[in-house]
Amino acid sequence: MKRLKDILYKVAVKEVYGNIDITIGTLHFDSRKVGSGDVFVAQKGVTVDGHQFIEKAVSLGAEAIVCEEMPNDRSEEVAYIIVEDSNAALAIMAANYYNNPSKSLQLVGVTGTNGKTTIASLLCQLFKKAGYKVGLLSTVKVMVDEEEFKATHTTPNSVAINQYLSKMVETGVDYCFMEVSSHGIHQKRTEGLEFSGGVFTNLSHDHLDYHETFAEYRDVKKAFFDSLPKSAFALVNIDDKNGQIMLQNTKANKQTYALKTLGDFKAKVLEKRLSGTLLTINGIEVWTKLIGEFNAYNLLAIYGVAELLGLEKIEILRIVSELESVSGRFQYTVSDDGVTAIVDYAHTPDALKNVLQTINDIRTGNETVITVVGCGGDRDTTKRPKMALIASQLSDQVVFTSDNPRTEDPQSIIDEMEIGVAAENYKKTLSIVDRRQAIKTACKLAKSGDIVLVAGKGHETYQEVNGVRHHFDDLEEVINYFNQLKKH
């Protein structure tokens, strides 16, 4: 059992009503889960205000309420703690509740628009191969040493983060690598965590449905580095003009990586093939199974983190050459008649451009590149014409289709995308609303040697239409179609 006053340690409390020297049950931010003796934290969310459910939480047996505004009806038996920010309070309380697990392992946060999942997942792979027990908090999955859990958000809620970290400490995990999203930072889900290091990948157009301006999106990322302690490192991609901004106010040890400019960690791509990349990292040659310049950046970040955490340089490079690509990130399969299909999570203009440039770099010039792409519904609409512009400029043929339309009309999303297509490229585009049909059509259009890129969903195994999730896996669809061809 925990004492309420102990878990309020370091929370910015404005006022207290009632007794906080009491033992409490569990921490909740969902009033429906509250039971006798629990604490309910009322958060102001994007769509729902938890303050509306204080009365319900009290009726279900909550002994303490943490909120930003005192409710009109107060119960004499309940402690009310008024705080400046409920999101920050919940995160700090969760860390205290689980005995601050982030202090008992080395926690590294990875933030940026693209590359977070790849870097966190490959760091997990690398440190495992180096003989350590490792944890992972990513978009794709959560790993506690050998145990796997399903991921629901890029950055889980603060209670879940500390629950997982606590499990990791119990299991003897040495290192945990965590994707840190802009939503997670903005909603203070990472408050109260002690990071050993932070990585900044890059910044491009994304999440402007949530962050109103690009400057706000950038400053939210920067807030993560501002909060790093002196004992941590801040490793940033200095080829991105925002890299320097991330370092402006950090107390952490400032480190940089780059392909095009000078950095503490430097790489040069020597050879690009569909089977992998030959590059030098800090002057030493290494062959990797990962493909493309964007992965050279990812590998450089991984190398930098591993060296900053004390691994031997030669050992790091040996393991880098063994790393396997991450699910849904430039995953490819080849049909019996020589058509290469690539599935990638690219769902931002920048990521799509990176993947298509990589394909164009490694092609011989005789192949046709056919891209299947859509845009998510109920999300940033300004990137739709940009995605279509990039796809139609850098591909020989494009099939516009549905991504996760969610509650929007898929055809309307495609119409908004098509606005971005330049007149001279319009002839090479097709629109097929049904994603399965779109993938089939692209594969049918391809001849031996051609390359089909299916972009946008990557590792996802569902499609959300009219707010309902159906099983759907891009790689599975491609393989099924290739297998059907074998039978005929």
Side-chain angles (χ1 to χ4, degrees), residues 440-456:
K440 254 188 188 176
T441 303
C443 292
K444 262 184 194 167
L445 289 169
K447 298 183 293 297
S448 182
D450 290 350
I451 299 167
V452 175
L453 169 66
V454 185

Side-chain angles (χ1 to χ4, degrees), residues 358-375:
T358 297
I359 291 168
N360 285 318
D361 280 349
I362 53 182
R363 69 191 287 201
T364 59
N366 303 318
E367 318 87 338
T368 298
V369 174
I370 306 164
T371 299
V372 179
V373 66
C375 285

Side-chain angles (χ1 to χ4, degrees), residues 193-395:
L193 298 179
E194 192 167 297
F195 285 91
S196 300
V199 180
F200 167 73
T201 62
N202 50 60
L203 213 56
S204 66
H205 194 106
D206 200 17
H207 300 307
L208 296 192
D209 53 322
Y210 181 85
H211 304 286
E212 288 177 10
T213 64
F214 186 81
E216 189 201 309
Y217 177 44
R218 180 199 64 214
D219 291 347
V220 165
K221 297 278 189 199
K222 181 180 176 294
F224 171 67
F225 292 92
D226 292 353
S227 69
L228 288 176
K230 213 174 175 175
S231 56
F233 62 80
L235 175 64
V236 305
N237 173 4
I238 206 71
D239 282 347
D240 187 295
K241 60 182 184 293
N242 297 289
Q244 202 58 59
I245 293 170
M246 299 299 142
L247 296 178
Q248 275 171 4
N249 304 101
T250 188
K251 297 185 285 291
N253 168 19
K254 298 175 182 181
Q255 296 283 322
T256 59
Y257 67 97
L259 258 73
K260 298 180 172 73
T261 49
L262 286 173
D264 298 302
F265 301 99
K266 187 101 174 73
K268 190 178 179 191
V269 176
L270 304 175
E271 222 177 282
K272 300 171 188 176
R273 292 189 207 156
L274 199 53
S275 56
T277 309
L278 180 67
L279 70 160
T280 59
I281 294 180
N282 280 5
I284 303 170
E285 253 183 49
V286 61
W287 171 263
T288 168
K289 297 174 195 173
L290 277 74
I291 302 153
E293 191 180 82
F294 64 97
N295 269 325
Y297 277 107
N298 294 336
L299 288 166
L300 199 46
I302 290 153
Y303 177 87
V305 169
E307 196 178 299
L308 289 164
L309 289 175
L311 267 61
E312 287 294 319
K313 295 176 189 182
I314 296 302
E315 172 73 345
I316 301 168
L317 290 168
R318 182 188 67 75
I319 299 171
V320 159
S321 68
E322 296 173 2
L323 296 175
E324 300 286 344
S325 69
V326 178
S327 169
R329 291 347 187 240
F330 216 96
Q331 259 188 303
Y332 70 92
T333 183
V334 183
S335 73
D336 283 0
D337 57 354
V339 173
T340 299
I342 298 164
V343 170
D344 193 273
Y345 188 51
H347 64 289
T348 65
D350 207 43
L352 184 63
K353 189 177 177 183
N354 284 340
V355 171
L356 280 166
Q357 280 179 339
T358 297
I359 291 168
N360 285 318
D361 280 349
I362 53 182
R363 69 191 287 201
T364 59
N366 303 318
E367 318 87 338
T368 298
V369 174
I370 306 164
T371 299
V372 179
V373 66
C375 285
D378 305 334
R379 295 290 186 270
D380 183 1
T381 58
T382 59
K383 69 181 180 186
R384 292 173 185 174
K386 292 177 185 177
M387 296 279 283
L389 173 73
I390 289 161
S392 57
Q393 277 178 338
L394 298 177
S395 315

Side-chain angles (χ1 to χ4, degrees), residues 43-210:
Q43 294 174 290
K44 288 183 177 174
V46 182
T47 50
V48 179
D49 185 353
H51 288 73
Q52 295 169 357
F53 305 102
I54 290 174
E55 220 173 291
K56 185 186 175 189
V58 171
S59 73
L60 289 169
E63 286 226 350
I65 301 292
V66 176
C67 51
E68 290 173 22
E69 293 157 16
M70 178 60 80
N72 296 328
D73 297 323
R74 289 210 315 263
S75 165
E76 294 300 320
E77 287 85 54
V78 175
Y80 293 86
I81 299 98
I82 313 300
V83 295
E84 279 182 19
D85 183 328
S86 293
N87 290 341
L90 178 67
I92 295 164
M93 289 168 75
N96 289 333
Y97 188 89
Y98 288 100
N99 301 321
N100 294 289
S102 61
K103 291 181 177 179
S104 299
L105 42 73
Q106 304 254 322
L107 176 64
V108 176
V110 186
T111 195
T113 306
N114 303 312
K116 294 189 294 294
T117 304
T118 301
I119 290 171
S121 303
L122 291 178
L123 277 166
C124 186
Q125 248 190 74
L126 190 151
F127 276 76
K128 215 173 189 169
K129 284 177 182 284
Y132 295 96
K133 286 192 171 190
V134 188
L136 173 69
L137 292 166
S138 83
T139 307
V140 179
K141 61 187 173 185
V142 173
M143 294 295 297
V144 177
D145 190 21
E146 299 299 330
E147 201 177 350
E148 187 176 321
F149 301 87
K150 207 171 158 45
T152 53
H153 293 80
T154 303
T155 308
N157 70 69
S158 50
V159 177
I161 290 170
N162 283 283
Q163 266 177 332
Y164 285 130
L165 291 175
S166 177
K167 261 186 208 280
M168 289 177 198
V169 172
E170 282 168 30
T171 317
V173 162
D174 306 289
Y175 298 94
C176 174
F177 303 102
M178 173 181 178
E179 285 187 55
V180 179
S181 68
S182 58
H183 291 62
I185 301 163
H186 189 252
Q187 292 165 11
K188 309 282 171 65
R189 291 182 223 159
T190 54
E191 292 276 318
L193 298 179
E194 192 167 297
F195 285 91
S196 300
V199 180
F200 167 73
T201 62
N202 50 60
L203 213 56
S204 66
H205 194 106
D206 200 17
H207 300 307
L208 296 192
D209 53 322
Y210 181 85

